Amino acid sequence: MSNTTRPTEAINLTHKLSLFSELWTQKKIADLNDYEVKLAKLKGEFVWHSHENTDELFLVLSGRLTIQLRETDDVVLGPGELFVVPRGVEHCPVAEEETAILLLEPAGTLNTGDAGGSMTKPAELLE
């Protein structure tokens, strides 16, 4: 598996975030073993979904993200906070304001998990 950056090159998250404006589109910025490190900008409500075979890490870089959970209280994250949604747990991300996040998931994980639908998009390489 090839890395999207050379091992001696730092990745500046602020710069990478400045390169796109699309909402709810994951941008792959690096590979980590069999995982992808991705950035996304969010605003509004996503779809309820789960990932049966993997946990999903959300790290908020700016803004505020609520991760709605069907079986427990919602989790609200601000800049510098992260939450791992356990595999199989149905969740729905909501951002009242534009929010930038970093995601860590196994390569090939669909953004909509088991839900499918019009918001399903593969991660795009951001160079």
mmCIF file of all heavy atoms in Angstrom, residues 12-39:
data_model
loop_
_atom_site.group_PDB
_atom_site.id
_atom_site.type_symbol
_atom_site.label_atom_id
_atom_site.label_comp_id
_atom_site.label_asym_id
_atom_site.label_seq_id
_atom_site.Cartn_x
_atom_site.Cartn_y
_atom_site.Cartn_z
ATOM 1 N N ASN A 12 0.052 19.470 7.039
ATOM 2 C CA ASN A 12 -0.525 20.626 7.716
ATOM 3 C C ASN A 12 -2.040 20.566 7.532
ATOM 4 O O ASN A 12 -2.559 20.760 6.428
ATOM 5 C CB ASN A 12 0.054 21.919 7.137
ATOM 6 C CG ASN A 12 -0.454 23.133 7.852
ATOM 7 O OD1 ASN A 12 -1.655 23.408 7.858
ATOM 8 N ND2 ASN A 12 0.453 23.873 8.475
ATOM 9 N N LEU A 13 -2.749 20.296 8.623
ATOM 10 C CA LEU A 13 -4.198 20.118 8.545
ATOM 11 C C LEU A 13 -4.914 21.391 8.128
ATOM 12 O O LEU A 13 -5.879 21.350 7.359
ATOM 13 C CB LEU A 13 -4.739 19.606 9.877
ATOM 14 C CG LEU A 13 -4.195 18.259 10.343
ATOM 15 C CD1 LEU A 13 -4.785 17.890 11.698
ATOM 16 C CD2 LEU A 13 -4.448 17.169 9.324
ATOM 17 N N THR A 14 -4.442 22.542 8.610
ATOM 18 C CA THR A 14 -5.065 23.815 8.239
ATOM 19 C C THR A 14 -4.959 24.041 6.735
ATOM 20 O O THR A 14 -5.935 24.432 6.080
ATOM 21 C CB THR A 14 -4.413 24.980 9.010
ATOM 22 O OG1 THR A 14 -4.549 24.724 10.410
ATOM 23 C CG2 THR A 14 -5.060 26.305 8.656
ATOM 24 N N HIS A 15 -3.787 23.767 6.175
ATOM 25 C CA HIS A 15 -3.611 23.912 4.727
ATOM 26 C C HIS A 15 -4.513 22.948 3.967
ATOM 27 O O HIS A 15 -5.197 23.336 3.008
ATOM 28 C CB HIS A 15 -2.151 23.694 4.334
ATOM 29 C CG HIS A 15 -1.946 23.650 2.855
ATOM 30 N ND1 HIS A 15 -2.067 24.767 2.051
ATOM 31 C CD2 HIS A 15 -1.668 22.612 2.024
ATOM 32 C CE1 HIS A 15 -1.875 24.417 0.787
ATOM 33 N NE2 HIS A 15 -1.623 23.118 0.744
ATOM 34 N N LYS A 16 -4.532 21.688 4.389
ATOM 35 C CA LYS A 16 -5.367 20.696 3.703
ATOM 36 C C LYS A 16 -6.845 21.102 3.735
ATOM 37 O O LYS A 16 -7.549 20.971 2.738
ATOM 38 C CB LYS A 16 -5.187 19.311 4.318
ATOM 39 C CG LYS A 16 -3.821 18.699 4.093
ATOM 40 C CD LYS A 16 -3.606 18.319 2.655
ATOM 41 C CE LYS A 16 -2.329 17.529 2.477
ATOM 42 N NZ LYS A 16 -2.057 17.198 1.076
ATOM 43 N N LEU A 17 -7.295 21.615 4.874
ATOM 44 C CA LEU A 17 -8.698 22.049 4.979
ATOM 45 C C LEU A 17 -9.002 23.233 4.063
ATOM 46 O O LEU A 17 -10.130 23.384 3.595
ATOM 47 C CB LEU A 17 -9.044 22.402 6.423
ATOM 48 C CG LEU A 17 -9.218 21.203 7.357
ATOM 49 C CD1 LEU A 17 -9.185 21.651 8.811
ATOM 50 C CD2 LEU A 17 -10.499 20.449 7.038
ATOM 51 N N SER A 18 -8.000 24.058 3.776
ATOM 52 C CA SER A 18 -8.208 25.219 2.909
ATOM 53 C C SER A 18 -8.365 24.826 1.439
ATOM 54 O O SER A 18 -8.784 25.644 0.614
ATOM 55 C CB SER A 18 -7.059 26.215 3.052
ATOM 56 O OG SER A 18 -5.883 25.736 2.394
ATOM 57 N N LEU A 19 -8.057 23.584 1.105
ATOM 58 C CA LEU A 19 -8.078 23.138 -0.289
ATOM 59 C C LEU A 19 -9.447 22.675 -0.784
ATOM 60 O O LEU A 19 -9.612 22.390 -1.957
ATOM 61 C CB LEU A 19 -7.066 21.998 -0.485
ATOM 62 C CG LEU A 19 -5.604 22.339 -0.216
ATOM 63 C CD1 LEU A 19 -4.732 21.095 -0.372
ATOM 64 C CD2 LEU A 19 -5.130 23.459 -1.139
ATOM 65 N N PHE A 20 -10.436 22.602 0.115
ATOM 66 C CA PHE A 20 -11.763 22.161 -0.326
ATOM 67 C C PHE A 20 -12.853 22.847 0.498
ATOM 68 O O PHE A 20 -12.612 23.333 1.595
ATOM 69 C CB PHE A 20 -11.896 20.629 -0.247
ATOM 70 C CG PHE A 20 -11.909 20.050 1.132
ATOM 71 C CD1 PHE A 20 -13.115 19.740 1.763
ATOM 72 C CD2 PHE A 20 -10.732 19.788 1.820
ATOM 73 C CE1 PHE A 20 -13.137 19.189 3.023
ATOM 74 C CE2 PHE A 20 -10.748 19.238 3.089
ATOM 75 C CZ PHE A 20 -11.948 18.940 3.696
ATOM 76 N N SER A 21 -14.051 22.880 -0.087
ATOM 77 C CA SER A 21 -15.186 23.507 0.597
ATOM 78 C C SER A 21 -16.409 22.593 0.654
ATOM 79 O O SER A 21 -17.371 22.908 1.350
ATOM 80 C CB SER A 21 -15.561 24.825 -0.093
ATOM 81 O OG SER A 21 -15.917 24.576 -1.438
ATOM 82 N N GLU A 22 -16.388 21.472 -0.055
ATOM 83 C CA GLU A 22 -17.533 20.580 -0.089
ATOM 84 C C GLU A 22 -17.851 20.049 1.307
ATOM 85 O O GLU A 22 -16.941 19.749 2.082
ATOM 86 C CB GLU A 22 -17.292 19.368 -0.997
ATOM 87 C CG GLU A 22 -16.892 19.687 -2.412
ATOM 88 C CD GLU A 22 -15.390 19.573 -2.585
ATOM 89 O OE1 GLU A 22 -14.677 20.456 -2.055
ATOM 90 O OE2 GLU A 22 -14.936 18.627 -3.226
ATOM 91 N N LEU A 23 -19.136 19.927 1.581
ATOM 92 C CA LEU A 23 -19.581 19.390 2.864
ATOM 93 C C LEU A 23 -19.872 17.897 2.726
ATOM 94 O O LEU A 23 -20.300 17.430 1.667
ATOM 95 C CB LEU A 23 -20.844 20.116 3.333
ATOM 96 C CG LEU A 23 -20.693 21.620 3.565
ATOM 97 C CD1 LEU A 23 -22.045 22.243 3.900
ATOM 98 C CD2 LEU A 23 -19.679 21.910 4.670
ATOM 99 N N TRP A 24 -19.635 17.165 3.795
ATOM 100 C CA TRP A 24 -19.941 15.742 3.898
ATOM 101 C C TRP A 24 -19.192 14.911 2.861
ATOM 102 O O TRP A 24 -19.662 13.866 2.424
ATOM 103 C CB TRP A 24 -21.443 15.473 3.825
ATOM 104 C CG TRP A 24 -22.214 16.159 4.900
ATOM 105 C CD1 TRP A 24 -23.003 17.259 4.762
ATOM 106 C CD2 TRP A 24 -22.242 15.828 6.294
ATOM 107 N NE1 TRP A 24 -23.522 17.628 5.976
ATOM 108 C CE2 TRP A 24 -23.072 16.764 6.944
ATOM 109 C CE3 TRP A 24 -21.645 14.832 7.068
ATOM 110 C CZ2 TRP A 24 -23.338 16.726 8.303
ATOM 111 C CZ3 TRP A 24 -21.902 14.798 8.422
ATOM 112 C CH2 TRP A 24 -22.740 15.736 9.031
ATOM 113 N N THR A 25 -18.019 15.367 2.435
ATOM 114 C CA THR A 25 -17.178 14.620 1.508
ATOM 115 C C THR A 25 -15.848 14.353 2.188
ATOM 116 O O THR A 25 -15.147 15.295 2.569
ATOM 117 C CB THR A 25 -16.949 15.408 0.207
ATOM 118 O OG1 THR A 25 -18.212 15.687 -0.400
ATOM 119 C CG2 THR A 25 -16.103 14.623 -0.764
ATOM 120 N N GLN A 26 -15.509 13.094 2.394
ATOM 121 C CA GLN A 26 -14.269 12.742 3.077
ATOM 122 C C GLN A 26 -13.089 12.854 2.128
ATOM 123 O O GLN A 26 -13.152 12.368 1.000
ATOM 124 C CB GLN A 26 -14.368 11.334 3.646
ATOM 125 C CG GLN A 26 -15.456 11.199 4.689
ATOM 126 C CD GLN A 26 -15.595 9.787 5.214
ATOM 127 O OE1 GLN A 26 -14.914 8.861 4.772
ATOM 128 N NE2 GLN A 26 -16.479 9.603 6.176
ATOM 129 N N LYS A 27 -12.019 13.486 2.609
ATOM 130 C CA LYS A 27 -10.795 13.680 1.830
ATOM 131 C C LYS A 27 -9.658 12.922 2.505
ATOM 132 O O LYS A 27 -9.270 13.233 3.628
ATOM 133 C CB LYS A 27 -10.435 15.169 1.757
ATOM 134 C CG LYS A 27 -11.543 16.055 1.234
ATOM 135 C CD LYS A 27 -11.842 15.809 -0.214
ATOM 136 C CE LYS A 27 -12.863 16.812 -0.738
ATOM 137 N NZ LYS A 27 -13.117 16.684 -2.151
ATOM 138 N N LYS A 28 -9.135 11.925 1.816
ATOM 139 C CA LYS A 28 -8.055 11.117 2.383
ATOM 140 C C LYS A 28 -6.747 11.894 2.312
ATOM 141 O O LYS A 28 -6.367 12.392 1.253
ATOM 142 C CB LYS A 28 -7.928 9.796 1.644
ATOM 143 C CG LYS A 28 -6.894 8.862 2.249
ATOM 144 C CD LYS A 28 -6.945 7.498 1.632
ATOM 145 C CE LYS A 28 -5.926 7.386 0.526
ATOM 146 N NZ LYS A 28 -5.693 6.020 0.069
ATOM 147 N N ILE A 29 -6.067 11.984 3.479
ATOM 148 C CA ILE A 29 -4.797 12.719 3.509
ATOM 149 C C ILE A 29 -3.605 11.824 3.839
ATOM 150 O O ILE A 29 -2.466 12.244 3.646
ATOM 151 C CB ILE A 29 -4.853 13.908 4.488
ATOM 152 C CG1 ILE A 29 -5.171 13.445 5.912
ATOM 153 C CG2 ILE A 29 -5.866 14.947 3.995
ATOM 154 C CD1 ILE A 29 -4.989 14.521 6.971
ATOM 155 N N ALA A 30 -3.844 10.623 4.330
ATOM 156 C CA ALA A 30 -2.747 9.708 4.655
ATOM 157 C C ALA A 30 -3.286 8.301 4.852
ATOM 158 O O ALA A 30 -4.476 8.100 5.096
ATOM 159 C CB ALA A 30 -2.027 10.167 5.924
ATOM 160 N N ASP A 31 -2.370 7.341 4.744
ATOM 161 C CA ASP A 31 -2.650 5.949 5.069
ATOM 162 C C ASP A 31 -1.895 5.605 6.343
ATOM 163 O O ASP A 31 -0.783 6.094 6.562
ATOM 164 C CB ASP A 31 -2.165 5.009 3.959
ATOM 165 C CG ASP A 31 -2.931 5.202 2.673
ATOM 166 O OD1 ASP A 31 -4.165 5.081 2.685
ATOM 167 O OD2 ASP A 31 -2.287 5.473 1.653
ATOM 168 N N LEU A 32 -2.489 4.775 7.180
ATOM 169 C CA LEU A 32 -1.850 4.290 8.397
ATOM 170 C C LEU A 32 -2.123 2.802 8.461
ATOM 171 O O LEU A 32 -3.242 2.379 8.815
ATOM 172 C CB LEU A 32 -2.425 5.018 9.621
ATOM 173 C CG LEU A 32 -1.953 4.539 10.980
ATOM 174 C CD1 LEU A 32 -0.464 4.852 11.159
ATOM 175 C CD2 LEU A 32 -2.773 5.181 12.080
ATOM 176 N N ASN A 33 -1.145 2.000 8.069
ATOM 177 C CA ASN A 33 -1.348 0.557 7.949
ATOM 178 C C ASN A 33 -2.564 0.315 7.055
ATOM 179 O O ASN A 33 -2.576 0.759 5.917
ATOM 180 C CB ASN A 33 -1.472 -0.109 9.321
ATOM 181 C CG ASN A 33 -0.202 0.055 10.129
ATOM 182 O OD1 ASN A 33 0.895 -0.091 9.598
ATOM 183 N ND2 ASN A 33 -0.345 0.377 11.399
ATOM 184 N N ASP A 34 -3.598 -0.344 7.542
ATOM 185 C CA ASP A 34 -4.783 -0.611 6.735
ATOM 186 C C ASP A 34 -5.876 0.422 6.972
ATOM 187 O O ASP A 34 -7.044 0.183 6.665
ATOM 188 C CB ASP A 34 -5.332 -2.006 7.040
ATOM 189 C CG ASP A 34 -4.353 -3.104 6.633
ATOM 190 O OD1 ASP A 34 -3.546 -2.871 5.714
ATOM 191 O OD2 ASP A 34 -4.397 -4.188 7.241
ATOM 192 N N TYR A 35 -5.494 1.574 7.535
ATOM 193 C CA TYR A 35 -6.447 2.637 7.858
ATOM 194 C C TYR A 35 -6.230 3.849 6.972
ATOM 195 O O TYR A 35 -5.143 4.050 6.428
ATOM 196 C CB TYR A 35 -6.304 3.062 9.331
ATOM 197 C CG TYR A 35 -6.948 2.100 10.280
ATOM 198 C CD1 TYR A 35 -6.355 0.870 10.557
ATOM 199 C CD2 TYR A 35 -8.166 2.395 10.876
ATOM 200 C CE1 TYR A 35 -6.959 -0.033 11.410
ATOM 201 C CE2 TYR A 35 -8.773 1.489 11.741
ATOM 202 C CZ TYR A 35 -8.159 0.284 11.995
ATOM 203 O OH TYR A 35 -8.766 -0.608 12.834
ATOM 204 N N GLU A 36 -7.269 4.660 6.842
ATOM 205 C CA GLU A 36 -7.186 5.938 6.149
ATOM 206 C C GLU A 36 -7.403 7.058 7.150
ATOM 207 O O GLU A 36 -8.283 6.975 8.007
ATOM 208 C CB GLU A 36 -8.251 6.034 5.053
ATOM 209 C CG GLU A 36 -8.037 5.037 3.938
ATOM 210 C CD GLU A 36 -9.137 5.055 2.896
ATOM 211 O OE1 GLU A 36 -10.283 5.446 3.209
ATOM 212 O OE2 GLU A 36 -8.852 4.655 1.756
ATOM 213 N N VAL A 37 -6.585 8.099 7.027
ATOM 214 C CA VAL A 37 -6.766 9.324 7.802
ATOM 215 C C VAL A 37 -7.456 10.292 6.851
ATOM 216 O O VAL A 37 -6.957 10.567 5.756
ATOM 217 C CB VAL A 37 -5.412 9.891 8.282
ATOM 218 C CG1 VAL A 37 -5.623 11.169 9.083
ATOM 219 C CG2 VAL A 37 -4.655 8.848 9.095
ATOM 220 N N LYS A 38 -8.635 10.795 7.271
ATOM 221 C CA LYS A 38 -9.456 11.607 6.371
ATOM 222 C C LYS A 38 -9.897 12.892 7.062
ATOM 223 O O LYS A 38 -10.067 12.925 8.281
ATOM 224 C CB LYS A 38 -10.686 10.820 5.927
ATOM 225 C CG LYS A 38 -10.335 9.520 5.210
ATOM 226 C CD LYS A 38 -11.551 8.745 4.795
ATOM 227 C CE LYS A 38 -11.999 7.826 5.897
ATOM 228 N NZ LYS A 38 -13.031 6.875 5.486
ATOM 229 N N LEU A 39 -10.094 13.929 6.258
ATOM 230 C CA LEU A 39 -10.669 15.184 6.718
ATOM 231 C C LEU A 39 -12.045 15.339 6.098
ATOM 232 O O LEU A 39 -12.299 14.844 4.992
ATOM 233 C CB LEU A 39 -9.804 16.380 6.291
ATOM 234 C CG LEU A 39 -8.400 16.469 6.869
ATOM 235 C CD1 LEU A 39 -7.667 17.653 6.250
ATOM 236 C CD2 LEU A 39 -8.444 16.595 8.380
#
